[in-house]
Amino acid sequence: EAQVTQNPRYLITVTGKKLTVTCSQNMNHEYMSWYRQDPGLGLRQIYYSMNVEATDKGDVPEGYKVSRKEKRNFPLILESPSPNQTSLYFCASSFSGVRMNTEAFFGQGTRLTVV
Amino acid sequence: AQKVTQAQTEISVVEKEDVTLDCVYETRDTTYYLFWYKQPPSGELVFLIRRNSFDEQNEISGRYSWNFQKSTSSFNFTITASQVVDSAVYFCALSEPNTGKLIFGQGTTLQVKP
């Protein structure tokens, strides 16, 4: 089954404790990205990756890191989480971000709470 | 700048009513893609449709239909004979060609009452 898998689904952590949210897709997609969803602010892109070893900032990259060492994986790293990073996070993938000739598949979401 | 506007924040209908969700977009690009996603109470984002800027044909999928009008920069979504399971937040989105980013509207919360 074609899917984007995020883990964990739910996470409560404390300020400053490094964490990683994993994202994996099994569709051989070139393009992957991360979004956060906040009430009143909608969905905003954090980082994106056009292909392996090619990552770039989205609209709200501060406080986040990503890496793309393999095509299927695109982890989101919070080196020192803060309460303003409490949000619902989505990983997405598509065959090609630029051509967008396939739909963007989204993971199930990770609800992160930083206390 | 690119922008997607979903002017209807919340819509409430009674089951079996038809409902149309509006989406207006702004872009200077000649090639772009438009999307609709459904976010049910469980939180995931479910893809509904993708439409490219060169294809203005309306599309119907079961009870769902989409009306794309380039002249008015609109991509409206109609649910015919709504059901309680249609209750969700619906997002319209526009792709940014250089980055692949999806620019989302603020979403329309649809409540279908029995």
PDB file of all heavy atoms in Angstrom, chain A residues 59-90:
ATOM      1  N   ASP A  59       8.646  28.137   4.635  1.00  0.00           N
ATOM      2  CA  ASP A  59       8.237  29.426   5.187  1.00  0.00           C
ATOM      3  C   ASP A  59       8.593  29.615   6.658  1.00  0.00           C
ATOM      4  O   ASP A  59       8.773  30.736   7.117  1.00  0.00           O
ATOM      5  CB  ASP A  59       6.711  29.587   5.032  1.00  0.00           C
ATOM      6  CG  ASP A  59       6.314  29.693   3.575  1.00  0.00           C
ATOM      7  OD1 ASP A  59       7.078  30.275   2.788  1.00  0.00           O
ATOM      8  OD2 ASP A  59       5.236  29.164   3.228  1.00  0.00           O
ATOM      9  N   VAL A  60       8.669  28.524   7.397  1.00  0.00           N
ATOM     10  CA  VAL A  60       8.905  28.628   8.847  1.00  0.00           C
ATOM     11  C   VAL A  60       9.981  27.647   9.300  1.00  0.00           C
ATOM     12  O   VAL A  60       9.731  26.752  10.100  1.00  0.00           O
ATOM     13  CB  VAL A  60       7.595  28.427   9.647  1.00  0.00           C
ATOM     14  CG1 VAL A  60       6.691  29.618   9.504  1.00  0.00           C
ATOM     15  CG2 VAL A  60       6.873  27.142   9.200  1.00  0.00           C
ATOM     16  N   PRO A  61      11.229  27.808   8.851  1.00  0.00           N
ATOM     17  CA  PRO A  61      12.266  26.811   9.156  1.00  0.00           C
ATOM     18  C   PRO A  61      12.959  26.977  10.504  1.00  0.00           C
ATOM     19  O   PRO A  61      13.666  26.060  10.947  1.00  0.00           O
ATOM     20  CB  PRO A  61      13.274  27.056   8.029  1.00  0.00           C
ATOM     21  CG  PRO A  61      13.154  28.523   7.749  1.00  0.00           C
ATOM     22  CD  PRO A  61      11.686  28.844   7.948  1.00  0.00           C
ATOM     23  N   GLU A  62      12.762  28.116  11.181  1.00  0.00           N
ATOM     24  CA  GLU A  62      13.531  28.398  12.395  1.00  0.00           C
ATOM     25  C   GLU A  62      13.229  27.354  13.474  1.00  0.00           C
ATOM     26  O   GLU A  62      12.074  27.084  13.801  1.00  0.00           O
ATOM     27  CB  GLU A  62      13.193  29.793  12.928  1.00  0.00           C
ATOM     28  CG  GLU A  62      13.589  30.941  12.014  1.00  0.00           C
ATOM     29  CD  GLU A  62      12.631  31.124  10.858  1.00  0.00           C
ATOM     30  OE1 GLU A  62      11.466  30.655  10.945  1.00  0.00           O
ATOM     31  OE2 GLU A  62      13.037  31.731   9.850  1.00  0.00           O
ATOM     32  N   GLY A  63      14.285  26.813  14.026  1.00  0.00           N
ATOM     33  CA  GLY A  63      14.160  25.851  15.106  1.00  0.00           C
ATOM     34  C   GLY A  63      14.078  24.405  14.632  1.00  0.00           C
ATOM     35  O   GLY A  63      13.938  23.496  15.456  1.00  0.00           O
ATOM     36  N   TYR A  64      14.172  24.196  13.333  1.00  0.00           N
ATOM     37  CA  TYR A  64      14.067  22.844  12.771  1.00  0.00           C
ATOM     38  C   TYR A  64      15.275  22.521  11.905  1.00  0.00           C
ATOM     39  O   TYR A  64      15.904  23.410  11.341  1.00  0.00           O
ATOM     40  CB  TYR A  64      12.808  22.712  11.904  1.00  0.00           C
ATOM     41  CG  TYR A  64      11.526  23.073  12.586  1.00  0.00           C
ATOM     42  CD1 TYR A  64      10.982  24.355  12.479  1.00  0.00           C
ATOM     43  CD2 TYR A  64      10.837  22.121  13.349  1.00  0.00           C
ATOM     44  CE1 TYR A  64       9.803  24.690  13.112  1.00  0.00           C
ATOM     45  CE2 TYR A  64       9.653  22.448  13.978  1.00  0.00           C
ATOM     46  CZ  TYR A  64       9.139  23.734  13.848  1.00  0.00           C
ATOM     47  OH  TYR A  64       7.968  24.056  14.475  1.00  0.00           O
ATOM     48  N   LYS A  65      15.561  21.242  11.803  1.00  0.00           N
ATOM     49  CA  LYS A  65      16.555  20.743  10.858  1.00  0.00           C
ATOM     50  C   LYS A  65      15.967  19.529  10.160  1.00  0.00           C
ATOM     51  O   LYS A  65      15.090  18.848  10.699  1.00  0.00           O
ATOM     52  CB  LYS A  65      17.838  20.326  11.592  1.00  0.00           C
ATOM     53  CG  LYS A  65      18.711  21.470  12.041  1.00  0.00           C
ATOM     54  CD  LYS A  65      19.888  20.986  12.874  1.00  0.00           C
ATOM     55  CE  LYS A  65      20.773  20.021  12.129  1.00  0.00           C
ATOM     56  NZ  LYS A  65      21.967  19.630  12.932  1.00  0.00           N
ATOM     57  N   VAL A  66      16.479  19.271   8.973  1.00  0.00           N
ATOM     58  CA  VAL A  66      16.064  18.073   8.237  1.00  0.00           C
ATOM     59  C   VAL A  66      17.297  17.472   7.579  1.00  0.00           C
ATOM     60  O   VAL A  66      18.353  18.103   7.484  1.00  0.00           O
ATOM     61  CB  VAL A  66      15.010  18.388   7.141  1.00  0.00           C
ATOM     62  CG1 VAL A  66      13.702  18.818   7.751  1.00  0.00           C
ATOM     63  CG2 VAL A  66      15.547  19.425   6.160  1.00  0.00           C
ATOM     64  N   SER A  67      17.132  16.250   7.125  1.00  0.00           N
ATOM     65  CA  SER A  67      18.183  15.616   6.331  1.00  0.00           C
ATOM     66  C   SER A  67      17.523  14.691   5.330  1.00  0.00           C
ATOM     67  O   SER A  67      16.422  14.192   5.555  1.00  0.00           O
ATOM     68  CB  SER A  67      19.175  14.852   7.209  1.00  0.00           C
ATOM     69  OG  SER A  67      18.547  13.721   7.783  1.00  0.00           O
ATOM     70  N   ARG A  68      18.189  14.464   4.216  1.00  0.00           N
ATOM     71  CA  ARG A  68      17.669  13.550   3.194  1.00  0.00           C
ATOM     72  C   ARG A  68      18.835  12.724   2.661  1.00  0.00           C
ATOM     73  O   ARG A  68      19.388  12.966   1.602  1.00  0.00           O
ATOM     74  CB  ARG A  68      17.014  14.355   2.058  1.00  0.00           C
ATOM     75  CG  ARG A  68      16.272  13.470   1.059  1.00  0.00           C
ATOM     76  CD  ARG A  68      14.854  13.267   1.411  1.00  0.00           C
ATOM     77  NE  ARG A  68      14.145  12.413   0.494  1.00  0.00           N
ATOM     78  CZ  ARG A  68      13.549  12.830  -0.620  1.00  0.00           C
ATOM     79  NH1 ARG A  68      13.622  14.107  -0.977  1.00  0.00           N
ATOM     80  NH2 ARG A  68      12.892  11.975  -1.378  1.00  0.00           N
ATOM     81  N   LYS A  69      19.168  11.711   3.444  1.00  0.00           N
ATOM     82  CA  LYS A  69      20.288  10.837   3.069  1.00  0.00           C
ATOM     83  C   LYS A  69      19.817   9.702   2.153  1.00  0.00           C
ATOM     84  O   LYS A  69      20.609   9.136   1.390  1.00  0.00           O
ATOM     85  CB  LYS A  69      20.961  10.285   4.316  1.00  0.00           C
ATOM     86  CG  LYS A  69      21.650  11.347   5.151  1.00  0.00           C
ATOM     87  CD  LYS A  69      22.434  10.716   6.290  1.00  0.00           C
ATOM     88  CE  LYS A  69      23.286  11.733   7.018  1.00  0.00           C
ATOM     89  NZ  LYS A  69      22.488  12.777   7.678  1.00  0.00           N
ATOM     90  N   GLU A  70      18.554   9.353   2.281  1.00  0.00           N
ATOM     91  CA  GLU A  70      17.986   8.313   1.430  1.00  0.00           C
ATOM     92  C   GLU A  70      16.707   8.874   0.841  1.00  0.00           C
ATOM     93  O   GLU A  70      16.069   9.733   1.436  1.00  0.00           O
ATOM     94  CB  GLU A  70      17.634   7.068   2.231  1.00  0.00           C
ATOM     95  CG  GLU A  70      18.709   6.544   3.133  1.00  0.00           C
ATOM     96  CD  GLU A  70      18.097   5.613   4.166  1.00  0.00           C
ATOM     97  OE1 GLU A  70      17.616   6.101   5.195  1.00  0.00           O
ATOM     98  OE2 GLU A  70      18.075   4.390   3.914  1.00  0.00           O
ATOM     99  N   LYS A  71      16.327   8.325  -0.294  1.00  0.00           N
ATOM    100  CA  LYS A  71      15.142   8.845  -0.970  1.00  0.00           C
ATOM    101  C   LYS A  71      13.891   8.657  -0.131  1.00  0.00           C
ATOM    102  O   LYS A  71      12.996   9.507  -0.130  1.00  0.00           O
ATOM    103  CB  LYS A  71      14.980   8.130  -2.312  1.00  0.00           C
ATOM    104  CG  LYS A  71      14.164   8.895  -3.333  1.00  0.00           C
ATOM    105  CD  LYS A  71      14.275   8.221  -4.681  1.00  0.00           C
ATOM    106  CE  LYS A  71      13.655   9.078  -5.760  1.00  0.00           C
ATOM    107  NZ  LYS A  71      13.792   8.476  -7.090  1.00  0.00           N
ATOM    108  N   ARG A  72      13.766   7.577   0.587  1.00  0.00           N
ATOM    109  CA  ARG A  72      12.518   7.258   1.266  1.00  0.00           C
ATOM    110  C   ARG A  72      12.331   7.980   2.595  1.00  0.00           C
ATOM    111  O   ARG A  72      11.230   8.087   3.079  1.00  0.00           O
ATOM    112  CB  ARG A  72      12.410   5.754   1.468  1.00  0.00           C
ATOM    113  CG  ARG A  72      13.461   5.157   2.363  1.00  0.00           C
ATOM    114  CD  ARG A  72      13.297   3.642   2.441  1.00  0.00           C
ATOM    115  NE  ARG A  72      12.085   3.300   3.148  1.00  0.00           N
ATOM    116  CZ  ARG A  72      11.140   2.474   2.671  1.00  0.00           C
ATOM    117  NH1 ARG A  72      11.287   1.924   1.480  1.00  0.00           N
ATOM    118  NH2 ARG A  72      10.072   2.205   3.366  1.00  0.00           N
ATOM    119  N   ASN A  73      13.410   8.469   3.208  1.00  0.00           N
ATOM    120  CA  ASN A  73      13.308   9.024   4.558  1.00  0.00           C
ATOM    121  C   ASN A  73      13.595  10.520   4.612  1.00  0.00           C
ATOM    122  O   ASN A  73      14.520  11.004   3.949  1.00  0.00           O
ATOM    123  CB  ASN A  73      14.276   8.304   5.500  1.00  0.00           C
ATOM    124  CG  ASN A  73      13.927   6.844   5.677  1.00  0.00           C
ATOM    125  OD1 ASN A  73      12.756   6.481   5.717  1.00  0.00           O
ATOM    126  ND2 ASN A  73      14.941   5.993   5.758  1.00  0.00           N
ATOM    127  N   PHE A  74      12.836  11.211   5.455  1.00  0.00           N
ATOM    128  CA  PHE A  74      13.008  12.662   5.568  1.00  0.00           C
ATOM    129  C   PHE A  74      12.676  13.057   7.017  1.00  0.00           C
ATOM    130  O   PHE A  74      11.590  13.573   7.304  1.00  0.00           O
ATOM    131  CB  PHE A  74      12.097  13.368   4.573  1.00  0.00           C
ATOM    132  CG  PHE A  74      12.347  14.842   4.412  1.00  0.00           C
ATOM    133  CD1 PHE A  74      13.630  15.343   4.282  1.00  0.00           C
ATOM    134  CD2 PHE A  74      11.285  15.736   4.369  1.00  0.00           C
ATOM    135  CE1 PHE A  74      13.862  16.709   4.116  1.00  0.00           C
ATOM    136  CE2 PHE A  74      11.500  17.105   4.203  1.00  0.00           C
ATOM    137  CZ  PHE A  74      12.788  17.579   4.084  1.00  0.00           C
ATOM    138  N   PRO A  75      13.582  12.822   7.941  1.00  0.00           N
ATOM    139  CA  PRO A  75      13.302  13.126   9.345  1.00  0.00           C
ATOM    140  C   PRO A  75      13.321  14.619   9.640  1.00  0.00           C
ATOM    141  O   PRO A  75      14.079  15.378   9.033  1.00  0.00           O
ATOM    142  CB  PRO A  75      14.445  12.401  10.082  1.00  0.00           C
ATOM    143  CG  PRO A  75      15.553  12.324   9.079  1.00  0.00           C
ATOM    144  CD  PRO A  75      14.903  12.190   7.738  1.00  0.00           C
ATOM    145  N   LEU A  76      12.484  14.997  10.603  1.00  0.00           N
ATOM    146  CA  LEU A  76      12.427  16.375  11.089  1.00  0.00           C
ATOM    147  C   LEU A  76      13.043  16.395  12.478  1.00  0.00           C
ATOM    148  O   LEU A  76      12.614  15.648  13.356  1.00  0.00           O
ATOM    149  CB  LEU A  76      10.976  16.859  11.144  1.00  0.00           C
ATOM    150  CG  LEU A  76      10.745  18.272  11.662  1.00  0.00           C
ATOM    151  CD1 LEU A  76      11.262  19.301  10.653  1.00  0.00           C
ATOM    152  CD2 LEU A  76       9.257  18.506  11.936  1.00  0.00           C
ATOM    153  N   ILE A  77      14.021  17.245  12.670  1.00  0.00           N
ATOM    154  CA  ILE A  77      14.770  17.291  13.922  1.00  0.00           C
ATOM    155  C   ILE A  77      14.523  18.624  14.616  1.00  0.00           C
ATOM    156  O   ILE A  77      14.665  19.681  14.001  1.00  0.00           O
ATOM    157  CB  ILE A  77      16.284  17.115  13.646  1.00  0.00           C
ATOM    158  CG1 ILE A  77      16.517  15.804  12.895  1.00  0.00           C
ATOM    159  CG2 ILE A  77      17.077  17.141  14.963  1.00  0.00           C
ATOM    160  CD1 ILE A  77      17.783  15.781  12.089  1.00  0.00           C
ATOM    161  N   LEU A  78      14.174  18.521  15.888  1.00  0.00           N
ATOM    162  CA  LEU A  78      14.066  19.708  16.732  1.00  0.00           C
ATOM    163  C   LEU A  78      15.188  19.616  17.746  1.00  0.00           C
ATOM    164  O   LEU A  78      15.130  18.814  18.671  1.00  0.00           O
ATOM    165  CB  LEU A  78      12.708  19.786  17.419  1.00  0.00           C
ATOM    166  CG  LEU A  78      11.511  20.193  16.554  1.00  0.00           C
ATOM    167  CD1 LEU A  78      11.111  19.093  15.587  1.00  0.00           C
ATOM    168  CD2 LEU A  78      10.334  20.592  17.430  1.00  0.00           C
ATOM    169  N   GLU A  79      16.223  20.412  17.554  1.00  0.00           N
ATOM    170  CA  GLU A  79      17.419  20.314  18.400  1.00  0.00           C
ATOM    171  C   GLU A  79      17.121  20.756  19.832  1.00  0.00           C
ATOM    172  O   GLU A  79      17.595  20.155  20.792  1.00  0.00           O
ATOM    173  CB  GLU A  79      18.538  21.186  17.824  1.00  0.00           C
ATOM    174  CG  GLU A  79      19.057  20.729  16.475  1.00  0.00           C
ATOM    175  CD  GLU A  79      20.242  19.767  16.598  1.00  0.00           C
ATOM    176  OE1 GLU A  79      20.599  19.403  17.741  1.00  0.00           O
ATOM    177  OE2 GLU A  79      20.779  19.373  15.561  1.00  0.00           O
ATOM    178  N   SER A  80      16.348  21.826  19.972  1.00  0.00           N
ATOM    179  CA  SER A  80      16.016  22.352  21.299  1.00  0.00           C
ATOM    180  C   SER A  80      14.577  22.862  21.264  1.00  0.00           C
ATOM    181  O   SER A  80      14.332  24.063  21.128  1.00  0.00           O
ATOM    182  CB  SER A  80      16.995  23.479  21.672  1.00  0.00           C
ATOM    183  OG  SER A  80      16.720  23.952  22.974  1.00  0.00           O
ATOM    184  N   PRO A  81      13.635  21.937  21.384  1.00  0.00           N
ATOM    185  CA  PRO A  81      12.230  22.323  21.224  1.00  0.00           C
ATOM    186  C   PRO A  81      11.799  23.388  22.230  1.00  0.00           C
ATOM    187  O   PRO A  81      12.255  23.402  23.385  1.00  0.00           O
ATOM    188  CB  PRO A  81      11.473  21.019  21.455  1.00  0.00           C
ATOM    189  CG  PRO A  81      12.478  19.939  21.275  1.00  0.00           C
ATOM    190  CD  PRO A  81      13.798  20.513  21.667  1.00  0.00           C
ATOM    191  N   SER A  82      10.893  24.237  21.778  1.00  0.00           N
ATOM    192  CA  SER A  82      10.321  25.255  22.649  1.00  0.00           C
ATOM    193  C   SER A  82       8.796  25.165  22.556  1.00  0.00           C
ATOM    194  O   SER A  82       8.257  24.590  21.597  1.00  0.00           O
ATOM    195  CB  SER A  82      10.789  26.649  22.228  1.00  0.00           C
ATOM    196  OG  SER A  82      10.364  26.925  20.906  1.00  0.00           O
ATOM    197  N   PRO A  83       8.094  25.726  23.551  1.00  0.00           N
ATOM    198  CA  PRO A  83       6.623  25.619  23.549  1.00  0.00           C
ATOM    199  C   PRO A  83       5.969  26.143  22.273  1.00  0.00           C
ATOM    200  O   PRO A  83       4.901  25.663  21.887  1.00  0.00           O
ATOM    201  CB  PRO A  83       6.229  26.442  24.782  1.00  0.00           C
ATOM    202  CG  PRO A  83       7.396  26.278  25.703  1.00  0.00           C
ATOM    203  CD  PRO A  83       8.604  26.283  24.807  1.00  0.00           C
ATOM    204  N   ASN A  84       6.579  27.101  21.589  1.00  0.00           N
ATOM    205  CA  ASN A  84       5.944  27.614  20.365  1.00  0.00           C
ATOM    206  C   ASN A  84       6.077  26.640  19.194  1.00  0.00           C
ATOM    207  O   ASN A  84       5.570  26.920  18.089  1.00  0.00           O
ATOM    208  CB  ASN A  84       6.493  29.002  19.990  1.00  0.00           C
ATOM    209  CG  ASN A  84       7.958  28.994  19.621  1.00  0.00           C
ATOM    210  OD1 ASN A  84       8.562  27.936  19.443  1.00  0.00           O
ATOM    211  ND2 ASN A  84       8.548  30.172  19.496  1.00  0.00           N
ATOM    212  N   GLN A  85       6.708  25.521  19.426  1.00  0.00           N
ATOM    213  CA  GLN A  85       6.747  24.471  18.408  1.00  0.00           C
ATOM    214  C   GLN A  85       5.684  23.391  18.662  1.00  0.00           C
ATOM    215  O   GLN A  85       5.625  22.390  17.939  1.00  0.00           O
ATOM    216  CB  GLN A  85       8.150  23.844  18.327  1.00  0.00           C
ATOM    217  CG  GLN A  85       9.176  24.834  17.788  1.00  0.00           C
ATOM    218  CD  GLN A  85      10.579  24.261  17.733  1.00  0.00           C
ATOM    219  OE1 GLN A  85      11.156  23.893  18.761  1.00  0.00           O
ATOM    220  NE2 GLN A  85      11.128  24.191  16.526  1.00  0.00           N
ATOM    221  N   THR A  86       4.878  23.634  19.659  1.00  0.00           N
ATOM    222  CA  THR A  86       3.714  22.777  19.866  1.00  0.00           C
ATOM    223  C   THR A  86       2.797  22.935  18.669  1.00  0.00           C
ATOM    224  O   THR A  86       2.366  24.051  18.341  1.00  0.00           O
ATOM    225  CB  THR A  86       2.977  23.180  21.161  1.00  0.00           C
ATOM    226  OG1 THR A  86       3.817  22.877  22.278  1.00  0.00           O
ATOM    227  CG2 THR A  86       1.655  22.434  21.286  1.00  0.00           C
ATOM    228  N   SER A  87       2.511  21.836  17.994  1.00  0.00           N
ATOM    229  CA  SER A  87       1.776  21.925  16.733  1.00  0.00           C
ATOM    230  C   SER A  87       1.443  20.528  16.230  1.00  0.00           C
ATOM    231  O   SER A  87       1.858  19.518  16.804  1.00  0.00           O
ATOM    232  CB  SER A  87       2.648  22.649  15.688  1.00  0.00           C
ATOM    233  OG  SER A  87       1.933  22.897  14.494  1.00  0.00           O
ATOM    234  N   LEU A  88       0.683  20.504  15.147  1.00  0.00           N
ATOM    235  CA  LEU A  88       0.416  19.265  14.414  1.00  0.00           C
ATOM    236  C   LEU A  88       1.302  19.284  13.170  1.00  0.00           C
ATOM    237  O   LEU A  88       1.221  20.212  12.364  1.00  0.00           O
ATOM    238  CB  LEU A  88      -1.062  19.184  14.034  1.00  0.00           C
ATOM    239  CG  LEU A  88      -1.509  17.982  13.204  1.00  0.00           C
ATOM    240  CD1 LEU A  88      -1.207  16.674  13.922  1.00  0.00           C
ATOM    241  CD2 LEU A  88      -3.015  18.083  12.906  1.00  0.00           C
ATOM    242  N   TYR A  89       2.136  18.266  13.037  1.00  0.00           N
ATOM    243  CA  TYR A  89       3.112  18.223  11.946  1.00  0.00           C
ATOM    244  C   TYR A  89       2.724  17.164  10.923  1.00  0.00           C
ATOM    245  O   TYR A  89       2.313  16.054  11.279  1.00  0.00           O
ATOM    246  CB  TYR A  89       4.500  17.898  12.501  1.00  0.00           C
ATOM    247  CG  TYR A  89       5.077  19.002  13.332  1.00  0.00           C
ATOM    248  CD1 TYR A  89       4.793  19.105  14.688  1.00  0.00           C
ATOM    249  CD2 TYR A  89       5.890  19.972  12.756  1.00  0.00           C
ATOM    250  CE1 TYR A  89       5.309  20.131  15.450  1.00  0.00           C
ATOM    251  CE2 TYR A  89       6.422  21.011  13.505  1.00  0.00           C
ATOM    252  CZ  TYR A  89       6.115  21.082  14.857  1.00  0.00           C
ATOM    253  OH  TYR A  89       6.635  22.111  15.600  1.00  0.00           O
ATOM    254  N   PHE A  90       2.908  17.537   9.671  1.00  0.00           N
ATOM    255  CA  PHE A  90       2.639  16.609   8.569  1.00  0.00           C
ATOM    256  C   PHE A  90       3.849  16.493   7.666  1.00  0.00           C
ATOM    257  O   PHE A  90       4.455  17.508   7.290  1.00  0.00           O
ATOM    258  CB  PHE A  90       1.465  17.088   7.716  1.00  0.00           C
ATOM    259  CG  PHE A  90       0.129  16.967   8.374  1.00  0.00           C
ATOM    260  CD1 PHE A  90      -0.469  18.059   8.969  1.00  0.00           C
ATOM    261  CD2 PHE A  90      -0.518  15.738   8.405  1.00  0.00           C
ATOM    262  CE1 PHE A  90      -1.708  17.947   9.578  1.00  0.00           C
ATOM    263  CE2 PHE A  90      -1.755  15.610   9.011  1.00  0.00           C
ATOM    264  CZ  PHE A  90      -2.351  16.722   9.601  1.00  0.00           C
TER     265      PHE A  90
END
